[in-house]
Amino acid sequence: MSYDGRFRVWRGDADGGDLADFTVEVNEGEVVLDIIHRLQATQAPDLAVRWNCKAGKCGSCSAEINGRPRLMCMTRMSTFEEGETVTVTPLRAFPVIRDLVTDVSFNYEKARAVPAFAPPADLAPGDYRMQQVDVERSQEFRKCIECFLCQDVCHVIRDHEDNKQAYAGPRFLMRIAELDMHPLDQADRRQAAQHEHGLGLCNITKCCTEVCPEHIKITDNALIPLKERVVDHSYDPLVWLGSKIRRR
Ligand code: F3S
């Protein structure tokens, strides 16, 4: 069963652009990325789109579909009514390169700013030991495919370009939380999260969690616990005293 679907796709580059209307065949079982590929094959061979696995695992085909950040390969056409116009636009929080392709290098800069796992200097790799509960706690965060939909949707940078300097975004605050929860990590992640990566700017709107294609509970399991750890460290007098004594 097929039908002619109506689509609006953003065409343009860094200097500007506009929405273009297309009618494209839609077949049963297809996803939005199938339609974009058919559009390239039949009507717009120069349409720029980034994709790779078409299985929801590479995180490449991120876009906004009817205004919502989503993976094109994981958005079934059956989600929409046959007569509905489906609008596909590039991620809004990042600069457009061309058509549906954006420059996501902001995210790589933020990734580089998070120091790597820092085990005790005298611990040989073969001597690492962790409780299963600690392994499981961070396992959820490691499902991240770096599609950057959470980075795109978070209003702290989506609506405030000038916050980008000060704010790492949910993906990288989650990475800091993962490292802070690691029992062998020695780095001071909490002060860095608060003062260098803008944890305080997150006001727990949970939009990041809503768009995560891996269903990671970014806010509840990473960001809120990290905020609690920061508060404990900074304001609990017993924790403060304990840290001073331990440092002696
Ligand atoms: Fe942004 Fe998620 Fe916090 S969307 S404001 S990082 S809860």
Side-chain angles (χ1 to χ4, degrees):
M1 201 185 70
S2 67
Y3 67 94
D4 286 336
R6 292 208 305 264
F7 296 87
R8 305 194 88 191
V9 181
W10 197 86
R11 307 289 321 263
D13 56 24
D15 296 326
D18 212 344
L19 290 166
D21 289 304
F22 298 97
T23 301
V24 188
E25 180 185 313
V26 180
N27 297 303
E28 193 169 351
E30 287 185 332
V31 293
V32 170
L33 188 58
D34 289 313
I35 307 305
I36 294 296
H37 284 162
R38 185 166 299 120
L39 186 55
Q40 274 184 324
T42 58
Q43 302 176 53
D46 61 339
L47 175 69
V49 57
R50 188 183 279 133
W51 70 283
N52 196 353
C53 75
K54 202 170 176 280
K57 287 295 164 213
C58 75
S60 303
C61 66
S62 303
E64 302 200 359
I65 302 172
N66 289 351
R68 185 183 167 90
R70 304 184 76 145
L71 294 181
M72 287 189 274
C73 73
M74 298 303 284
T75 307
R76 294 198 168 277
M77 284 306 301
S78 56
T79 319
F80 311 105
E81 300 293 329
E82 286 193 12
E84 186 178 348
T85 299
V86 178
T87 303
V88 187
T89 48
L91 297 178
R92 207 180 88 188
F94 310 119
V96 168
I97 297 175
R98 191 155 70 84
D99 301 333
L100 299 177
V101 176
T102 51
D103 176 358
V104 292
S105 52
F106 163 79
N107 300 292
Y108 300 118
E109 284 159 24
K110 294 298 174 182
R112 269 197 298 275
V114 179
F117 171 57
D122 56 351
L123 196 65
D127 295 338
Y128 289 11
R129 292 288 180 272
M130 282 173 74
Q131 298 277 346
Q132 187 60 26
V133 66
D134 290 321
V135 174
E136 284 162 8
R137 189 177 295 131
S138 62
Q139 196 61 26
E140 176 186 14
F141 310 138
R142 300 186 75 85
K143 291 193 302 180
C144 174
I145 58 171
E146 298 211 316
C147 61
F148 305 132
L149 294 181
C150 62
Q151 300 284 96
D152 177 55
V153 82
C154 178
H155 69 100
V156 176
I157 44 181
R158 185 178 178 89
D159 299 333
H160 305 278
E161 181 69 26
D162 51 338
N163 278 340
K164 279 187 175 170
Q165 276 291 330
Y167 188 60
R171 192 278 168 264
F172 300 103
L173 291 170
M174 179 174 79
R175 172 69 178 148
I176 294 167
E178 176 194 338
L179 290 165
D180 193 57
M181 290 176 193
H182 197 299
L184 293 175
D185 188 72
Q186 303 290 294
D188 181 3
R189 307 283 173 186
R190 298 173 198 183
Q191 292 306 309
Q194 190 70 3
H195 300 298
E196 293 164 32
H197 302 286
L199 179 64
L201 290 170
C202 161
N203 54 353
I204 320 181
T205 56
K206 299 197 181 188
C207 311
C208 50
T209 301
E210 277 179 31
V211 300
C212 177
E214 286 291 325
H215 308 292
I216 303 170
K217 294 194 169 62
I218 302 170
T219 324
D220 287 352
N221 292 350
L223 305 187
I224 293 174
L226 186 58
K227 281 174 177 281
E228 289 169 347
R229 284 165 177 247
V230 167
V231 169
D232 278 353
H233 188 81
S234 305
Y235 301 112
D236 185 321
L238 291 178
V239 173
W240 179 83
L241 189 61
S243 72
K244 294 286 170 204
I245 292 168
R246 270 201 304 277
R247 245 182 241 159
R248 284 185 168 181

